[in-house]
């Protein structure tokens, strides 16, 4: 399909254009992709090909060591601008806005936003998902009675990662949030809830919802009932009478998410919503148990579809909702999360000045034949799955006078690949069988050397689609499935996306003995990176000494 069947309209230089200003019977779905460093809006046609897009980066704030903030206003303003700019591009190709039938939203998960439900305005900066200011709080929570029951209830271990600990920290430490909570005017949400709320017009419409995939990342939702759990809320000391939580709804719904209240697509319905990693799995059409994908973005996230019942991991993985399309079309996943992937490349570029563009890291790595004995444990925010070491710090091992920039570049790319292997091995243990292949997407997947390294280190085939905007596509799919006259089934979408030209496979070709030696060295380096953070207050004070 895609390029294998006759198109309803011609292409010029590979771009879609309308016929005489019109594309008869053609429909489109828009997708908001709100990420950690940028916001995008992409418009897809009925063949799941992007025809127009716009992207805007925004400022990330790091006020103290371990802190990571966003301005919630930036998230909304960049979304609105991206919608308008992409729509302008879309119309310039001869299409009409009426052909855009619905919009989906995909978003960075866990990032926590608090606002005043009376004014509709944010009370503080958003606390972003890799933020580690909650380390001491998490250690205290682990000592509370009932802490050992959390994993089975919600699928997540206690860590700095989920929204629950971020919200609790704000209630305890931020004056405005604390006051709003005590006065019962505090509204809480993740990025999806905040965007949907504001895009619908804020307090006037008060559309305050979240989808099942995002709710499963808060530690407030029971993984089996997919509703808020009183035992979980009680553990964190959250009083439902003092805070407005978003209503949990399916990921694909024709009415629950409302409509755009303003802008060039005013009145267009929001019909789909997925947390970014679930959205990427849907974008790969990983609808069957056993399908797995890895997204190489700011962090790195591997999801493995386990079917209609949750599997609680015994090997350090997260259990989460893969997608929820209603009417019994719900799937769960095992997930392994790596805090640093693309941000490690950005560190080489911004902090060390090794490269001027992140896309050049592969070329730098190829200036040397191997890592020269260098191992880089990129634990800038501790280590996530399957290690869960929150007292680790980024550590370089094996430096000598022979070490060159290329060796460190290779070690940076390999760090992501090693952690991916560790997650795959944990998934093999939990699921009882070894994966045969891994679907990939995200910025780092564009690097052939990284994907070949991944195949070699993991000893499985890596499959890269030609169209790698799969995260945004997943949200478009969720919206399209809820919209009459658009996509009608998951098998239809699987055939549509998997018959496209340009897919590339990377087969493992590395020397198994050498790969195992490298992996053993990595595991040793991980153990040696433990214990750098002894006390977060001491670390904070040292970071602010004059």
């Amino acid at each position: 399909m895609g390029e294998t069947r006759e198109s309803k309209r011609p292409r010029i230089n590979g771009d879609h254009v309308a016929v005489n200003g019109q594309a008869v019977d053609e429909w489109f779905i828009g997708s908001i992709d709100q990420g950690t460093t940028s916001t995008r809006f992409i418009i897809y046609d009925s063949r799941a090909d992007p025809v127009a897009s716009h992207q805007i980066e925004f400022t990330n704030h790091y006020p103290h060591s371990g802190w990571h903030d966003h301005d919630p206003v930036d998230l909304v303003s960049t979304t609105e601008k991206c919608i308008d700019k992409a729509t302008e591009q879309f119309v310039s190709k001869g299409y009409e806005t009426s052909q855009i039938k619905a919009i989906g939203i995909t978003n960075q998960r866990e990032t926590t936003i608090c606002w005043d439900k009376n004014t509709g305005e944010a009370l503080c900066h958003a606390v972003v998902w890799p933020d580690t200011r909650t380390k001491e709080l998490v250690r205290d929570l682990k000592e509370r009675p009932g802490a050992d029951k959390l994993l089975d209830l919600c699928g997540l271990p206690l860590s700095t990662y989920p929204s629950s600990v971020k919200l609790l920290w704000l209630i305890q430490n931020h004056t405005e949030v604390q006051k709003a909570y005590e006065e019962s005017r505090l509204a809480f949400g993740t990025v999806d809830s905040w965007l949907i709320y504001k895009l619908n017009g804020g307090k006037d419409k008060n559309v305050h919802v979240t989808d099942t995939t995002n709710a499963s990342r808060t530690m407030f939702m029971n993984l089996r009932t997919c509703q808020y759990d009183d035992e979980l809320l009680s553990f964190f000391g959250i009083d439902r009478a003092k805070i407005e939580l978003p209503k949990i709804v399916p990921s694909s719904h024709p009415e629950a998410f409302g409509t755009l209240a303003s802008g060039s697509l005013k009145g267009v319905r929001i019909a789909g919503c997925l947390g970014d990693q679930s959205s990427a799995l849907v974008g790969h059409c990983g609808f069957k148990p056993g399908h797995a994908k890895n997204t190489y973005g700011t962090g790195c996230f591997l999801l493995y579809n386990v079917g209609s019942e949750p599997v609680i991991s015994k090997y350090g993985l997260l259990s989460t909702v893969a997608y929820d399309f209603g009417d019994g079309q719900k799937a769960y996943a095992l997930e392994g999360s790596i805090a640093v992937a693309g941000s490690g490349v950005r560190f080489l570029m911004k902090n060390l000045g090794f490269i001027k563009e992140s896309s050049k890291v592969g070329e730098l790595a190829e200036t040397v034949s191997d890592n020269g004995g260098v191992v880089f444990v990129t634990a800038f925010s501790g280590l996530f799955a399957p290690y869960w070491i929150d007292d680790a710090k980024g550590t370089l091992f094996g430096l000598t006078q022979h070490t060159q920039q290329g060796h460190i570049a290779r070690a940076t790319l390999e760090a992501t690949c090693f952690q991916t292997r560790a997650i795959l091995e944990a998934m093999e243990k939990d699921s009882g069988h070894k994966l045969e292949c891994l679907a990939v997407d995200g910025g780092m997947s564009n690097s052939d050397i990284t994907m070949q390294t991944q195949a070699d280190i993991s000893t499985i085939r890596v499959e890269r689609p030609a169209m790698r905007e799969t995260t945004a596509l997943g949200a478009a799919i969720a919206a399209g499935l809820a919209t009459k006259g658009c996509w009608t089934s998951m098998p239809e979408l699987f055939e549509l996306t998997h018959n496209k030209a340009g897919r590339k496979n990377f087969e493992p070709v590395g020397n198994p003995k050498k790969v195992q030696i490298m992996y053993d060295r990595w595991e040793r380096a991980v153990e040696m990176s433990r214990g750098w953070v002894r006390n977060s207050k001491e670390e904070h004070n040292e970071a602010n000494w004059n």
Side-chain angles (χ1 to χ4, degrees):
M1 296 184 182
E3 297 304 317
T4 65
R5 71 181 187 186
E6 185 178 352
S7 178
K8 292 181 180 179
R9 59 185 183 277
R11 296 173 184 250
I12 295 179
N13 295 328
D15 292 327
H16 293 296
V17 294
V19 180
N20 297 323
Q22 298 293 324
V24 181
D25 297 329
E26 180 62 293
W27 52 265
F28 301 83
I29 301 289
S31 181
I32 297 166
D33 182 358
Q34 203 302 298
T36 310
T37 58
S38 69
T39 303
R40 296 184 298 174
F41 185 68
I42 303 177
I43 301 171
Y44 292 91
D45 65 14
S46 61
R47 288 168 295 282
D49 290 324
V51 300
S53 66
H54 193 74
Q55 181 172 2
I56 300 175
E57 292 190 354
F58 55 86
T59 302
N60 280 254
H61 303 272
Y62 305 95
H64 306 291
S65 177
W67 291 36
H68 189 173
D69 291 357
H70 286 158
D71 185 339
V73 175
D74 288 345
L75 306 185
V76 177
S77 64
T78 54
T79 298
E80 293 173 335
K81 289 175 185 176
C82 283
I83 291 173
D84 288 343
K85 288 292 185 180
T87 303
E88 181 182 326
Q89 183 187 129
F90 177 75
V91 171
S92 73
K93 294 185 176 184
Y95 299 114
E96 297 180 356
T97 56
S98 61
Q99 292 176 278
I100 300 176
K101 300 303 181 183
I103 289 172
I105 293 178
T106 183
N107 57 282
Q108 51 170 311
R109 304 167 305 168
E110 292 94 20
T111 295
T112 298
I113 302 175
C114 293
W115 65 93
D116 187 323
K117 68 179 184 180
N118 294 336
T119 67
E121 300 306 318
L123 292 165
C124 59
H125 272 187
V127 180
V128 187
W129 59 271
D131 186 284
T132 58
R133 75 186 71 177
T134 57
K135 285 197 294 285
E136 290 296 318
L137 173 59
V138 168
R139 287 174 187 152
D140 292 341
L141 289 171
K142 286 180 178 179
E143 300 302 318
R144 283 189 184 180
D148 57 337
K149 298 180 181 179
L150 299 181
L151 183 64
D152 187 63
L153 284 172
C154 67
L156 305 180
L158 270 172
S159 72
T160 60
Y161 196 29
S163 309
S164 55
V165 296
K166 295 173 171 59
L167 174 62
L168 188 56
W169 189 95
L170 288 169
I171 290 173
Q172 292 178 352
N173 294 278
H174 193 283
T175 303
E176 292 300 317
V177 174
Q178 187 178 64
K179 185 178 180 183
Y181 179 72
E182 293 302 328
E183 296 176 359
S184 300
R185 54 184 173 84
L186 177 61
F188 154 81
T190 43
V191 170
D192 58 311
S193 298
W194 172 245
L195 289 181
I196 291 166
Y197 176 79
K198 297 298 279 188
L199 292 174
N200 272 275
K203 64 183 179 65
D204 294 335
K205 291 285 186 67
N206 194 33
V207 180
H208 190 194
V209 298
T210 186
D211 94 292
T212 320
T213 67
N214 279 294
S216 71
R217 315 302 296 187
T218 61
M219 292 192 82
F220 296 147
M221 189 191 84
N222 185 296
L223 196 60
R224 293 167 181 83
T225 66
C226 291
Q227 295 298 322
Y228 293 116
D229 188 288
D230 289 340
E231 187 174 350
L232 291 170
L233 291 167
S234 176
F235 176 85
F236 291 103
I238 300 298
D239 185 347
R240 288 289 297 273
K242 294 183 178 181
I243 187 169
E244 185 175 295
L245 302 176
K247 180 182 178 181
I248 301 173
V249 299
S251 312
S252 180
H253 197 282
E255 298 177 353
F257 304 111
T259 58
L260 297 190
S262 61
S264 56
L265 295 182
K266 180 180 179 180
V268 175
R269 190 166 294 281
I270 304 169
C273 179
L274 290 159
D276 52 8
Q277 303 313 318
S278 290
S279 193
L281 183 67
V282 171
H284 281 290
C285 294
F287 300 130
K288 294 181 179 180
H291 284 171
K293 72 88 199 173
N294 203 8
T295 296
Y296 300 79
T298 303
C300 196
F301 300 88
L302 199 156
L303 256 68
Y304 173 76
N305 186 331
V306 297
S308 59
E309 296 294 330
V311 173
I312 303 301
S313 176
K314 298 178 181 178
Y315 298 98
L317 302 177
L318 311 181
S319 299
T320 193
V321 178
Y323 56 81
D324 180 5
F325 294 154
D327 299 324
Q329 298 184 99
K330 181 192 297 178
Y332 292 90
L334 285 170
E335 175 177 340
S337 307
I338 300 169
V340 176
S343 57
V345 176
R346 193 176 183 84
F347 174 80
L348 297 184
M349 178 177 66
K350 295 289 188 180
N351 296 54
L352 301 184
F354 280 15
I355 47 178
K356 293 184 178 180
E357 298 175 19
S358 58
S359 60
K360 300 296 184 182
V361 68
E363 294 178 16
L364 178 59
E366 288 179 321
T367 61
V368 293
S369 60
D370 55 34
N371 61 25
V374 175
V375 177
F376 191 3
V377 181
T378 51
F380 301 147
S381 302
L383 287 170
F384 288 177
Y387 306 107
W388 298 109
I389 305 173
D390 62 4
D391 61 359
K393 280 290 186 181
T395 316
L396 269 169
F397 295 93
L399 298 183
T400 68
Q401 288 184 322
H402 167 69
T403 301
Q404 302 172 34
Q405 290 183 347
H407 295 125
I408 296 174
R410 269 193 183 265
T412 303
L413 300 178
E414 289 171 355
T416 299
C417 299
F418 284 132
Q419 290 175 84
T420 298
R421 170 171 166 169
I423 291 169
L424 288 170
E425 290 181 345
M427 287 181 169
E428 179 181 347
K429 293 174 183 176
D430 277 323
S431 65
H433 69 273
K434 183 178 175 65
L435 294 178
E436 294 183 2
C437 65
L438 180 66
V440 298
D441 62 85
M444 285 179 70
S445 72
N446 294 320
S447 166
D448 283 3
I449 186 175
T450 305
M451 293 302 95
Q452 186 58 59
T453 300
Q454 185 67 80
D456 292 344
I457 288 175
S458 302
T459 68
I460 62 171
R461 183 175 72 255
V462 171
E463 296 184 353
R464 185 177 69 190
M467 200 290 290
R468 292 188 279 283
E469 302 295 350
T470 51
T471 302
L473 176 59
I477 286 172
L481 287 172
T483 304
K484 186 177 180 180
C486 298
W487 297 302
T488 58
S489 71
M490 291 185 280
E492 170 198 0
L493 284 157
F494 185 88
E495 291 299 318
L496 182 66
T497 56
H498 281 67
N499 286 336
K500 291 183 181 294
R503 295 178 69 86
K504 183 172 182 179
N505 294 342
F506 297 85
E507 300 287 348
V509 295
N511 182 302
K513 290 184 178 180
K514 181 179 179 181
V515 168
Q516 189 60 48
I517 290 171
M518 291 170 61
Y519 187 63
D520 290 344
R521 184 181 293 153
W522 160 262
E523 290 285 290
R524 190 164 71 250
V526 166
E527 289 303 311
M528 293 174 69
S529 73
R530 288 178 181 269
W532 282 100
V533 181
R534 291 173 296 176
N535 182 292
S536 62
K537 291 181 180 178
E538 175 185 318
E539 179 189 22
H540 173 74
N541 291 336
E542 288 177 357
N544 290 279
W545 281 344
N546 292 323

